[in-house]
């Protein structure tokens, strides 16, 4: 961390110490340090394996039309059962435990915030850890989806023989009203909003930060975002390194 970042970190520490209602808004960059890649990252192997772009495969229409191919991609690119919480997840859980952090609003679907100990988490796009029968609504864990790869033509089926669907928000599907309301209220009531690990290009989630009217906006992302100009502090560095340097 260079001298400029160290000075900014001192200001971040002051803001943290003086804040009483912090909300964290995070995206894929939160979990990349746990070994979960951003599925938009494209390499040569990607083009060899998939005939369609991720946004098309992860759409409601594609799920309905080519469910087998959907699950082939989903198991390969969206499920990371061995992933563990990283520094960011752990620091945020500690912030909540100390009464500073009031909520986490996440675009991620990996459940690592809860695994780290965070309790008030608004999962805008759902969770791979929850899966339900499309007919009888019976609950199944992530394990069921993984184990069904070599059964029933690769389709996870309920005990009632109906298809199981992940509790994740696919493209073309709307966000859960309860989650949206909770997330917006948390952001609206915050005195400090920390945005981390997100490029702020996925809507409607990215628009939620417009509800923030508090005193301090802190943005931590390796690349520039459209909200950089609004922030009191901007770090273009590792999220874990910045949060991990705070004295809680």
């Amino acid at each position: 961390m260079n001298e400029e970042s160290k000075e900014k970190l001192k200001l971040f520490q002051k803001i943290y110490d003086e804040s009483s209602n912090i909300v964290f808004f995070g995206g894929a960059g939160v979990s990349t340090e746990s070994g979960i890649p951003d599925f938009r990252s494209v390499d040569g192997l990607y083009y060899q394996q998939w005939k369609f772009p991720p946004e098309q495969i992860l759409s409601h229409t594609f799920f309905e039309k080519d469910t087998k191919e959907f699950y082939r991609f989903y198991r390969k690119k969206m499920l990371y059962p061995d992933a563990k919480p990283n520094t960011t997840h752990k620091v945020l859980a500690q912030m909540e435990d100390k009464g500073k952090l009031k909520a986490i609003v996440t675009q991620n679907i990996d459940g690592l915030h809860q695994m780290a100990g965070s309790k008030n988490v608004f999962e805008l796009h759902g969770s791979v850890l929850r899966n339900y029968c499309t007919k009888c609504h019976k609950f199944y864990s992530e394990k069921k989806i993984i184990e069904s790869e070599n059964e029933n033509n690769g389709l996870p089926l309920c005990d009632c023989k109906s298809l199981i669907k992940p509790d994740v928000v696919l493209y073309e599907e709307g966000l859960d009203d309860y989650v949206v309301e909770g997330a917006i209220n948390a952001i609206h009531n915050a005195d400090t909003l920390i945005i981390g690990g997100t490029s702020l290009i996925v809507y409607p989630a990215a628009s939620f930060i417009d509800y923030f009217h508090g005193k301090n906006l802190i943005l931590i992302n390796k690349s520039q975002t459209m909200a950089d100009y609004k922030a009191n502090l901007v770090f273009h560095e590792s999220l874990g390194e910045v949060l991990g340097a705070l004295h809680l």
Side-chain angles (χ1 to χ4, degrees):
M1 191 174 289
N2 58 37
E3 288 303 316
E4 180 185 358
S5 295
K6 290 179 181 177
E7 287 301 313
K8 287 194 291 185
L9 188 60
K10 289 180 182 178
L11 181 54
F12 190 4
Q13 184 70 56
K14 184 175 185 294
I15 291 173
Y16 173 80
D17 292 340
E18 295 175 353
S19 299
S20 59
N21 190 336
I22 302 171
V23 169
F24 179 83
F25 180 94
V30 175
S31 294
T32 52
E33 293 177 28
S34 290
I36 300 179
D38 181 345
F39 74 84
R40 287 180 180 77
S41 298
V42 175
D43 54 30
L45 183 62
Y46 169 87
Y47 282 115
Q48 293 170 25
Q49 287 190 352
W50 318 107
K51 299 177 182 178
F52 308 97
E55 290 83 354
Q56 183 175 348
I57 298 175
L58 295 173
S59 68
H60 181 82
T61 297
F62 196 93
F63 176 81
E64 295 284 337
K65 287 187 175 181
D66 195 344
T67 312
K68 179 181 179 181
E69 182 67 6
F70 169 89
Y71 270 113
R72 189 171 80 88
F73 177 89
Y74 184 83
R75 290 187 187 95
K76 181 77 173 178
K77 304 292 284 187
M78 308 301 288
L79 300 182
Y80 293 86
D82 297 325
K84 303 296 181 187
N86 59 48
T87 298
T88 298
H89 298 109
K90 295 173 183 177
V91 168
L92 292 172
Q94 292 170 21
M95 285 183 180
E96 182 181 14
D97 190 54
K98 291 181 180 296
K100 287 278 193 176
L101 184 76
K102 302 303 182 183
I104 292 172
V105 180
T106 180
Q107 300 172 79
N108 295 341
I109 57 177
D110 50 50
L112 292 180
H113 284 297
Q114 292 91 329
M115 192 182 298
S118 293
K119 298 178 178 62
N120 195 26
V121 182
F122 295 100
E123 297 174 308
L124 296 178
H125 298 147
S127 173
V128 299
L129 305 184
R130 300 187 300 267
N131 305 272
Y132 297 95
C133 173
T134 53
K135 184 177 181 180
C136 73
H137 309 297
K138 181 178 179 179
F139 169 85
Y140 289 92
S141 70
E142 178 186 26
K143 184 179 179 182
K144 175 68 173 179
I145 306 300
I146 295 171
E147 292 178 345
S148 64
E149 181 174 8
N150 299 313
E151 304 171 356
N152 306 307
N153 203 26
L155 301 180
L157 299 182
C158 175
D159 292 336
C160 74
K161 304 304 180 184
S162 297
L163 183 66
I164 297 169
K165 182 179 182 294
D167 187 19
V168 298
V169 180
L170 302 178
Y171 289 96
E172 303 170 347
E173 296 179 343
L175 304 185
D176 180 270
D177 289 341
Y178 174 81
V179 175
V180 168
E181 183 178 357
I184 289 175
N185 286 337
I187 292 171
H188 177 75
N189 294 326
D191 56 19
T192 295
L193 178 64
I194 303 172
I195 300 174
T198 174
S199 56
L200 295 174
I201 61 173
V202 177
Y203 281 81
S207 65
F208 286 16
I209 68 170
D210 294 335
Y211 291 94
F212 176 67
H213 302 292
K215 186 177 180 181
N216 305 296
L217 177 61
I218 298 169
L219 207 151
I220 310 168
N221 196 56
K222 288 186 176 180
S223 59
Q224 290 183 332
T225 78
M226 64 176 193
D228 281 16
Y229 75 96
K230 298 180 180 179
N232 302 65
L233 280 174
V234 177
F235 295 87
H236 289 149
E237 289 159 302
S238 161
L239 186 56
E241 185 178 357
V242 175
L243 291 182
L246 286 175
H247 299 289
L248 306 182

